[in-house]
Structure formats: C-alpha cells, structure tokens
Amino acid sequence: MRGPPIDECASILFERGGVRPEVHIVLGSGLGGVAERMEDAVAVPFGDLPGFPEASVSGHEGCFLIGRIEGTPVLLQSGRFHFYEGFGAEIVAAPVRVGRALGAGTLFLTNASGGIRSDLAPGALMLVDDHINLGFQAPLAGPVHPGEERFPDMSRPYDGELMAFAEEVALAARIRLTRGVYGWVGGPNFETPAEVLALRAAGADVVGMSTVPEAIVARARGQRVLAISVVTNRAAGLGLEVVDHEEVMAWGAVAGEKVAVLLEELVPLLGHR
Ligand code: HPA
C-alpha cells in the first residue's frame, strides 16, 4: 500500500514554515505545553498534508509546528498516528519520513508510559536506552522507501552521545533522569497485571504504546534518535489504582514542565553542528 507523498508533504511544510528544521520533536500525551516554548511558530494541521489523516486521540493536537527553540530550527509534532487507531505502517511512519525529508538529522521522541521498575513512579522521567517490540508490528513492512535500508541495524537504536547530552542537561537542571528499557505494546487497551509481570521478566522498565515504530523508521533512514519517557502511572497491578487515561494526561501535564525545561536546554545541542 502506498503512503502519503513524502517529498510533497515536506515541500508544503517548508513553504509554510520557511526554515529547514534540524531537529524533529514528537510530543506525547499531555506534553503539548512544550509548544509554548517555540519562537515564530507556524502551525500546519496534519489534515493539510496530502495522504495524512487528522489525528484523533484526545490530548493529541494533530499538527506540525515549524519554528525555533533557543534559535535552533525545529519541527515540533503535536500528536502522532498509532497502529491502534487502525492505521497501517505507511501512515504510522509518515511523520518521521517527512521530518527527515525536510532535513532533520535528529528525531527527539517523547511519550507517556506506565512504570514497571520500582523507582519509576508517576512523574518520573526515563531516558530510553533500548526498547523491546512487543507490539509485533513492523513499521517498515512494505516496499523499501528511497534512502532507507531493507534490514536496518538496531544494535544501537538510541544515540549514545545525545543520551549523554540529555543527562548533562538534566543534572544541571536538577531533574532526575535515569536510563531504562521501553517495552512497546500495541494497545489501545492497557495491560493486564500478568502482562506487566511478563514485560518485567522480558526486561522492560516501562510500558507504552508509541515511540518504537518511529525510532525504527528513523534508524532505517540514518537519523539519530533520542527518546524520553514520562511515567504517568504505575503499570497495571503494581499500583493501587486502575490505569486511567485521564490520569495519564494529568501526569503528562505535570511532568511535561520538566520535559519543556530539558528541551529548551537540549535542543541547541541536538542541532547540526
Ligand atoms: N501502559 C501502556 N501505555 C501507557 C501506560 C501504560 O500503563 N501509561 C501511559 N501510556
């Protein structure tokens, strides 16, 4: 199946935004506040790009913002497409492909997740240093796109130098940021307690429903990837409460402030140098 025309979408974004972004930032659930930190932002709704559906999950805004953060040109993506919405690989992967076609050398992913490791309570931030694909979906399934590899290496999915920058910035800002493994599930239902125990046994420190497809596509295109997970709840069976989307959004907003502080300091280090 053919996806959106990537180069055409990138041209539209360039014409409207007027800059070539160096960093593509994807905002997860509840993290929309980061958009307020942008300078000279031009908004382009997903629906303005040929082949792009409108985004539908509440709390996801469904647009690109092109502008600058601390002087560095960025493409900020508010909202994303998930397999659980019924979209195929070409749609889920399209925003990353468009960001790369526009010129972004770095993809900075954020997401909300359920904490599995005991120190990852709601409000904690985790630097994703590896992932496990338990969604069993392949975002690269289908014809090979120009500039992508058929069998991309995934032995270092998240960039070591960029992770070190993130840790330096977090330390200076007194924000706790520990490394860990993100376990990706397809969703949209949250997990059962037995599934969470299985995820823990498999080596996952948090569980979430995004990020991994995008990271895989970015690696296939030779982009550097950095990902930060905002823990919004204890994973099912580990806390006292049931897992609830409203709670996820509320903690996303609280921890989103910390992510915004990190982003302001980090983005200039992630641009082309
Ligand atoms: N599970 C899966 N995805 C999530 C969770 C969770 O507990 N919290 C936020 N996103």
Side-chain angles (χ1 to χ4, degrees), residues 2-88:
R2 291 182 65 87
I6 301 302
D7 290 336
E8 193 183 333
C9 293
S11 304
I12 293 170
L13 286 170
F14 181 63
E15 275 163 29
R16 301 251 197 112
V19 291
R20 290 234 163 261
E22 297 177 10
V23 184
H24 176 184
I25 303 163
V26 182
L27 298 180
S29 301
L31 299 177
V34 173
E36 289 151 26
R37 303 289 217 278
M38 269 180 93
E39 304 136 30
D40 310 324
V42 176
V44 180
F46 291 160
D48 285 8
L49 300 176
F52 268 64
E54 318 252 344
S56 65
V57 180
S58 77
H60 287 71
E61 303 206 351
C63 73
F64 285 111
L65 290 171
I66 307 162
R68 293 176 187 273
I69 291 181
E70 297 289 308
T72 302
V74 299
L75 176 70
L76 194 92
Q77 180 187 330
S78 186
R80 44 165 50 115
F81 303 113
H82 306 85
F83 284 105
Y84 66 68
E85 294 170 274
F87 296 124

Side-chain angles (χ1 to χ4, degrees), residues 6-265:
I6 301 302
D7 290 336
E8 193 183 333
C9 293
S11 304
I12 293 170
L13 286 170
F14 181 63
E15 275 163 29
R16 301 251 197 112
V19 291
R20 290 234 163 261
E22 297 177 10
V23 184
H24 176 184
I25 303 163
V26 182
L27 298 180
S29 301
L31 299 177
V34 173
E36 289 151 26
R37 303 289 217 278
M38 269 180 93
E39 304 136 30
D40 310 324
V42 176
V44 180
F46 291 160
D48 285 8
L49 300 176
F52 268 64
E54 318 252 344
S56 65
V57 180
S58 77
H60 287 71
E61 303 206 351
C63 73
F64 285 111
L65 290 171
I66 307 162
R68 293 176 187 273
I69 291 181
E70 297 289 308
T72 302
V74 299
L75 176 70
L76 194 92
Q77 180 187 330
S78 186
R80 44 165 50 115
F81 303 113
H82 306 85
F83 284 105
Y84 66 68
E85 294 170 274
F87 296 124
E90 292 287 342
I91 296 292
V92 172
V96 173
R97 292 191 166 122
V98 169
R100 183 61 170 147
L102 254 176
T106 298
L107 178 64
F108 186 170
L109 299 163
T110 64
N111 62 56
S113 63
I116 297 177
R117 206 172 70 200
S118 58
D119 62 319
L120 293 169
L125 298 188
M126 191 191 86
L127 191 57
V128 179
D129 72 355
D130 204 344
H131 71 228
I132 310 176
N133 178 348
L134 296 165
F136 305 115
Q137 300 267 10
L140 298 174
V144 183
H145 280 244
E148 290 178 21
E149 292 180 50
R150 174 75 298 181
F151 302 109
D153 172 55
M154 290 298 287
S155 55
R156 285 187 208 91
Y158 302 92
D159 191 280
E161 189 187 20
L162 302 187
M163 282 196 279
F165 287 155
E167 286 169 331
E168 271 171 41
V169 165
L171 193 65
R174 295 172 179 270
I175 293 172
R176 185 164 180 271
L177 184 66
T178 58
R179 293 190 186 200
V181 174
Y182 179 94
W184 179 52
V185 293
N189 57 289
F190 291 112
E191 302 67 45
T192 66
E195 285 166 347
V196 169
L197 294 182
L199 281 152
R200 178 154 74 185
D205 296 309
V206 297
V207 54
M209 303 177 195
S210 68
T211 294
V212 167
E214 292 135 316
I216 292 172
V217 175
R219 293 307 300 141
R221 298 181 89 79
Q223 246 177 342
R224 303 171 89 185
V225 184
L226 182 69
I228 292 182
S229 189
V230 171
V231 178
T232 55
N233 55 282
R234 293 292 292 154
L238 301 179
L240 297 175
E241 311 285 332
V242 297
V243 184
D244 170 57
H245 182 61
E246 298 305 319
E247 186 197 359
V248 167
M249 297 302 297
W251 275 105
V254 172
E257 257 322 288
K258 289 196 272 183
V259 175
V261 169
L262 284 183
L263 264 169
E264 270 185 339
E265 302 288 326

